Amino acid sequence: MRTIDLSPLYRSFIGSDHLASMIDAAARNEKQNTYPPYNIELLEDDKYRITMAVAGFSKENVVIEVVENTLVISGSKDQAPDESRKFLHKGISERNFERKFQLGDNVKVLSADLENGLLHVDLERVVPEAKKPRRIEIGNQVIENQ
């Protein structure tokens, strides 16, 4: 794996030292296995949906948590094999999983729904009023409240 030297960023971007930790977290997340498969969809400008294929899991088996800026989706089932069933081919995996997604600043989880074996997690990036662009009229003095 290639390593990236981030030292030029530190000279140019003041207050963005969390960038390195975000890149490290993304590199660690790339080492996750590929189960279960998922899609990330852009629904609108600031609305997103993660759709994860969790066949065989019910909503009681799936836990969704947000820890700091990390969305953690995990599923667990009893691993006791059912002796009464004999498979000729078993392509539907029902193994336990944990998938992590690094959320950007101001991204909030709106809702989650499990339907037809697909888990849908809706997210929205909410830009605080203080960070929205504002127009400054020329010739008017701007006075900030202190």
Side-chain angles (χ1 to χ4, degrees):
M1 183 171 126
R2 291 182 283 188
T3 58
I4 300 172
D5 180 19
L6 299 176
S7 57
L9 292 176
Y10 294 124
R11 292 192 298 262
S12 304
F13 296 102
I14 298 173
S16 297
D17 40 322
H18 71 283
L19 179 64
S21 63
M22 287 175 44
I23 291 173
D24 287 340
R28 279 192 305 275
N29 287 346
E30 285 302 312
K31 296 174 187 171
Q32 297 184 72
N33 65 30
T34 58
Y35 177 77
Y38 66 92
N39 295 334
I40 300 176
E41 222 177 322
L42 177 65
L43 301 176
E44 294 177 23
D45 283 342
D46 291 325
K47 293 193 178 195
Y48 307 89
R49 173 175 283 169
I50 298 171
T51 301
M52 187 175 291
V54 292
F57 287 85
S58 66
K59 63 182 178 180
E60 291 81 21
N61 301 125
V62 178
V63 175
I64 303 170
E65 297 177 316
V66 177
V67 181
E68 294 181 11
N69 277 7
T70 303
L71 172 65
V72 180
I73 302 174
S74 57
S76 62
K77 294 180 75 171
D78 293 335
Q79 295 296 350
D82 186 358
E83 299 295 329
S84 66
R85 300 172 74 188
K86 294 185 188 216
F87 292 97
L88 298 178
H89 172 75
K90 189 167 192 304
I92 300 173
S93 180
E94 294 179 357
R95 65 181 185 258
N96 296 342
F97 67 88
E98 180 178 80
R99 169 79 56 192
K100 295 181 181 180
F101 298 92
Q102 189 69 34
L103 300 178
D105 292 337
N106 306 311
V107 173
K108 307 292 179 213
V109 177
L110 297 178
S111 64
D113 189 31
L114 182 60
E115 181 180 1
N116 298 327
L118 295 175
L119 174 68
H120 301 286
V121 180
D122 291 328
L123 306 114
E124 181 177 25
R125 183 169 53 105
V126 181
V127 180
E129 203 60 41
K131 293 195 177 194
K132 288 184 180 177
R134 59 184 177 106
R135 183 177 216 149
I136 308 299
E137 296 295 329
I138 298 174
N140 291 338
Q141 184 176 6
V142 177
I143 300 174
E144 295 288 330
N145 293 337
Q146 294 181 355

